[in-house]
Structures are given as structure tokens and as C-alpha cells.
């Protein structure tokens, strides 16, 4: 418990925004004492630099939609755009360093999916993973919430998935011990398990959530997942007002499909989080409608909750920009641009609720451009 006590000071930093102008998770804008924010509905006079990585697949199209909506809404954001792609031969250490340098300046990024090829070309860690490690983006947060007016198998869902994303099965430690035998190492550490558990409980506290569920496979991986589970149990003792329970990953998948309403905040190691993110996104409409974000002690990255390049849609003008627009709205809230954040998110939800303009993945016939134009039209409606 001494380690937990010593980590209390550090965990406050994990949920603190990187700049005085940025909002900590769950804290009010007023507490930040921003001089130019004269009222809740006042437009900020400051201009914020944000790093942008369009990524692969339909990423560039989605970013174009974001830029068009930002322009129409007069959002005071300037994008520092970089291109990092392994499939388009636009990835190198130099480009990666340029992105990191941009992040050191802006502290905030909006990124598309950087696709990871399956072919082994001498480097196990993808550029996407290397970027996340360089920035220490340890906490991935996906808020899975039903969209008003868009009916799915389960409606009125509202749950949060928190994933540790710097170790576990994504440690990129593989080797061939003897011919025909591959060893893939899953790394679980006490420090990082405690850190993500603290993040989950702090998030639940700040957001008014009542329960945290730790998802694991400790019945099989008794040492690795056993350590993760132990750390979650120890941290839970520090938050007596938050209900805590545990669930094995395979049962969790079934329960999410059968009765997702039982969940509030779920915290889990890396691979499980990737799987559950995608499963839960499917419950409310798919990858095109769920926003996501990743945090370190210093940086905040906003992205799609279920990361798919949707390569088969490239150039066809059929991608759904909802998730990226909602992620961009969350980014603006993080920057304390409440007026613009609410303006954009309300416009997106209004278009979906009316139901006249929907992309193919939502059962409609509208193009990406049609949806973007509808959102722009709803900004002042």
C-alpha cells in the first residue's frame, strides 16, 4: 500500500490537462480561471494549435469533414498537420520525431487510424504503437453511448471502457526460440496496472459514475492477469464510494451482448480493451459513431473509439464522419472551448435524430459530404 500512497500525488497529474488553458478530466472551466472566457456562451478569442494526423483509409476524408465544420463554426483552432503512414511509405523516424515535436508544442492531437501492416519487415512495433509509447498514452477512454433517434439492438446505453495501452500483448516482444516455435511475451507490471486502475477510479469519481468493473483472465494467466487484478483490488480500497467488481473477459463479452446495462466503467489490459471497444461500439451503431481519446500525464489525443481505416471506402465518399466529429467536439471541451464543443456535438446529434441524412452504415444513402453539409446547416438551426 505504500506504493499506492506514494502514487496519489502522481495520479492527480494523470488527469490534469497539459496546459493551463486545457481542462482536467471532469473539472469545470471556471476552476481554470481562463481570462478570456467571459461567459459560458462566449466565443474564445484565443487560437489553439492542435496536431493533426489524418492517418490511413478514410482518415483524410474524415479530417476534411472536421476542418469544414470547424471553419463553418469559426472554431479558434489551427491544425499542424502531419502525415505518418506505413502503408503509403510515409513513415520514418524523422516523421515520427516531427509528430512528437508538434505534440510537445500543442499537447493535443486529433488523429485518424494509422494502419499497421501484418507483414513483418524487421520491426515488431508499429509506428502507431511507437508514437503512443513516446507520448506515454497509457489510458484509452471510449465512451459508448446511444445516439438519440438512432435505434440499435440495445438503446439508452451509457458505459465507459478504459484500456491500458502501453504494455500487455502489445509489448512487441516476440522471437522464434527454435524453428517453428514463436514466443510472444505479454508484459504486466504493478506500476502500470496501478496507474490505469487509479485512472479508472478517478474517472468514475469525477464523472459521477458508481461502479468500476475490472476485466481479466486471471483464472488462466494467474501471474500476469493475477497481478493486474490484484492491483485493481488494492486501488478499489481507496475508493469506498465506488462499487467494484470483477469479470472474466469471455464472460464479459457475453454479458455485454446480453445485458450491457449492468456495466458502468470497465477497466482492462491492452488486448481485452481493443476487443471490448469494438464489441461495444457495435452495440450502438458501429465504428462510425463512437468517439475515443487517449491520455498521458502531459498529452491528450482524440480519435475514433473503434480504430478502423475502412480502406474499402477510400475515395467513395461514403464514410461516416460522426465519430470523428464527436471526438473533435470532445477535444474542444478539453481545450475549454465549451461553446464550440456544444455547438458541434449538438449539430451532429440533431442531424442523426432527425434521421433524414444518414450514411450507409446507419442504414441511409447519404454521402460523407452530405452528412458534413447537414451538420454545417444544423449549426445555426
Amino acid at each position: 500500500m505504500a506504493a499506492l500512497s506514494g502514487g496519489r500525488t502522481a495520479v492527480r497529474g494523470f488527469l490534469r490537462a497539459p496546459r493551463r488553458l486545457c481542462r482536467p478530466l471532469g473539472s469545470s472551466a471556471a476552476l481554470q480561471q481562463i481570462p478570456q472566457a467571459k461567459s459560458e456562451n462566449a466565443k474564445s478569442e484565443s487560437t489553439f494549435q492542435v496536431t493533426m494526423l489524418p492517418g490511413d483509409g478514410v482518415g483524410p476524408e474524415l479530417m476534411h469533414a472536421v476542418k469544414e465544420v470547424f471553419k463553418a463554426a469559426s472554431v479558434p483552432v489551427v491544425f499542424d498537420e502531419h502525415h505518418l503512414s506505413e502503408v503509403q511509405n510515409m513513415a520514418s523516424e524523422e516523421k515520427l520525431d516531427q509528430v512528437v515535436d508538434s505534440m510537445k508544442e500543442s499537447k493535443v492531437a486529433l488523429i485518424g487510424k494509422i494502419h499497421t501492416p501484418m507483414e513483418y519487415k524487421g520491426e515488431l512495433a508499429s509506428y502507431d504503437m511507437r508514437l503512443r509509447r513516446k507520448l506515454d498514452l497509457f489510458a484509452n477512454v471510449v465512451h459508448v453511448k446511444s445516439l438519440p433517434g438512432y435505434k440499435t439492438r440495445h438503446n439508452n446505453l451509457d458505459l465507459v471502457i478504459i484500456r491500458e495501452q502501453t504494455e500487455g500483448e502489445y509489448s512487441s516482444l516476440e522471437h522464434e526460440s527454435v524453428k517453428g516455435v514463436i514466443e510472444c511475451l505479454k508484459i504486466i507490471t504493478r506500476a502500470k496496472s496501478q496507474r490505469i486502475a487509479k485512472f479508472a477510479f478517478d474517472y468514475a469519481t469525477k464523472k459521477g459514475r458508481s461502479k468500476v468493473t475490472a476485466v481479466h483472465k486471471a483464472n488462466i494467466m494467474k501471474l500476469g492477469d493475477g497481478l493486474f487484478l490484484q492491483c485493481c483490488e488494492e486501488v478499489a480500497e481507496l475508493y469506498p464510494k465506488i462499487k467494484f467488481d470483477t469479470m472474466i473477459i469471455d464472460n464479459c463479452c457475453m454479458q455485454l451482448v446480453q445485458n450491457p446495462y449492468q456495466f458502468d466503467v470497465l477497466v482492462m489490459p491492452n488486448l481485452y480493451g481493443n476487443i471490448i471497444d469494438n464489441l461495444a461500439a457495435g452495440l450502438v451503431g458501429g465504428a462510425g459513431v463512437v468517439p475515443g481519446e487517449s491520455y498521458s500525464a502531459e498529452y491528450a489525443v482524440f480519435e475514433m473509439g473503434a480504430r478502423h481505416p475502412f480502406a474499402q471506402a477510400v475515395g467513395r465518399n461514403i464514410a461516416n464522419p460522426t465519430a470523428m466529429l464527436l471526438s473533435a467536439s470532445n477535444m474542444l471541451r478539453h481545450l475549454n472551448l465549451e461553446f464550440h464543443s456544444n455547438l458541434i456535438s449538438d449539430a451532429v446529434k440533431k442531424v442523426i435524430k432527425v434521421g433524414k441524412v444518414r450514411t450507409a452504415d446507419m442504414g441511409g444513402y447519404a454521402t460523407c459530404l452530405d452528412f458534413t453539409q447537414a451538420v454545417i446547416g444544423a449549426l445555426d438551426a
Side-chain angles (χ1 to χ4, degrees):
M1 297 301 290
L4 292 180
S5 177
R8 288 193 186 103
T9 302
V11 78
R12 284 193 289 268
F14 299 150
L15 295 179
R16 185 178 297 124
R19 298 191 298 180
R20 192 171 69 87
L21 290 176
C22 300
R23 142 176 297 184
L25 282 180
S27 66
S28 67
L31 292 178
Q32 298 305 297
Q33 298 179 347
I34 299 179
Q36 60 267 38
K38 297 180 181 178
S39 70
E40 289 186 4
N41 293 324
K43 296 184 181 180
S44 171
E45 297 174 358
S46 297
T47 298
F48 294 83
Q49 177 178 309
V50 171
T51 302
M52 174 180 278
L53 281 173
D56 296 307
V58 295
E61 297 174 49
L62 300 180
M63 292 303 180
H64 178 72
V66 169
K67 287 187 279 190
E68 289 297 303
V69 172
F70 273 32
K71 181 179 178 181
S74 300
V75 177
V77 163
V78 175
F79 289 113
D80 180 23
E81 190 167 336
H82 295 265
H83 295 273
L84 186 67
S85 171
E86 293 187 62
V87 297
Q88 301 178 51
N89 293 320
M90 290 192 296
S92 65
E93 283 299 323
E94 181 182 1
K95 288 183 178 293
L96 184 61
D97 289 340
Q98 290 173 356
V99 175
V100 173
D101 288 342
S102 176
M103 281 295 297
K104 288 179 179 178
E105 177 68 22
S106 66
K107 309 296 183 183
V108 179
L110 184 67
I111 69 173
K113 168 62 178 175
I114 302 173
H115 183 61
T116 303
M118 286 187 287
E119 298 81 9
Y120 173 59
K121 297 181 179 179
E123 178 60 59
L124 292 171
S126 68
Y127 276 89
D128 183 41
M129 280 304 304
R130 288 153 74 180
L131 176 62
R132 294 176 191 277
R133 288 177 189 168
K134 280 179 176 286
L135 301 176
D136 194 29
L137 296 169
F138 70 91
N140 177 241
V141 180
V142 176
H143 188 182
V144 179
K145 188 173 183 179
S146 298
L147 293 168
Y150 180 49
K151 292 185 178 181
T152 56
R153 182 179 297 274
H154 297 288
N155 296 299
N156 300 315
L157 281 183
D158 186 358
L159 57 94
V160 177
I161 300 161
I162 297 178
R163 162 193 178 191
E164 203 295 321
Q165 61 176 4
T166 59
E167 57 176 12
E169 297 83 356
Y170 290 57
S171 300
S172 304
L173 296 174
E174 297 181 272
H175 64 273
E176 187 174 28
S177 53
V178 296
K179 190 171 179 59
V181 179
I182 302 295
E183 290 183 314
C184 178
L185 303 183
K186 171 178 176 175
I187 306 299
I188 299 290
T189 63
R190 174 174 290 276
K192 292 188 175 183
S193 296
Q194 287 179 347
R195 181 169 69 166
I196 196 65
K198 284 175 178 290
F199 184 97
F201 277 93
D202 276 345
Y203 184 97
T205 301
K206 290 176 181 293
K207 297 293 185 179
R209 301 266 173 175
S210 60
K211 183 172 75 169
V212 172
T213 302
V215 181
H216 64 94
K217 191 63 176 175
N219 58 324
I220 300 300
M221 286 168 274
K222 302 181 187 300
L223 297 182
D225 280 26
L227 175 60
F228 176 83
L229 184 58
Q230 179 186 350
C231 290
C232 290
E233 291 170 343
E234 291 172 356
V235 172
E237 294 179 6
L238 303 176
Y239 299 81
K241 294 183 179 180
I242 303 293
K243 183 180 179 181
F244 174 69
D245 66 357
T246 67
M247 189 172 290
I248 295 174
I249 178 63
D250 37 344
N251 184 33
C252 180
C253 292
M254 180 180 70
Q255 294 296 330
L256 273 169
V257 174
Q258 287 188 326
N259 179 25
Y261 303 100
Q262 65 185 287
F263 298 108
D264 195 354
V265 175
L266 300 94
V267 60
M268 60 201 74
N270 211 334
L271 179 60
Y272 308 155
N274 193 3
I275 295 169
I276 296 298
D277 283 347
N278 284 267
L279 190 158
L283 298 178
V284 296
V289 300
V290 179
E293 51 221 55
S294 294
Y295 294 97
S296 71
E298 191 176 359
Y299 306 107
V301 170
F302 296 83
E303 57 195 337
M304 295 177 67
R307 304 168 193 161
H308 292 282
F310 201 16
Q312 64 271 30
V314 174
R316 297 171 60 191
N317 194 24
I318 61 173
N320 187 349
T322 299
M324 193 60 76
L325 288 171
L326 293 178
S327 294
S329 171
N330 291 338
M331 178 191 74
L332 296 178
R333 185 170 293 110
H334 176 78
L335 294 171
N336 278 316
L337 295 173
E338 290 282 348
F339 172 81
H340 298 90
S341 172
N342 293 332
L343 183 66
I344 292 173
S345 63
D346 290 348
V348 172
K349 292 171 184 176
K350 187 182 301 181
V351 170
I352 292 174
K353 188 173 184 178
V354 171
K356 293 182 178 180
V357 182
R358 288 183 177 174
T359 50
D361 61 313
M362 300 182 76
Y365 300 94
T367 65
C368 180
L369 180 60
D370 291 336
F371 191 93
T372 303
Q373 291 300 320
V375 170
I376 291 174
L379 289 174
D380 299 319

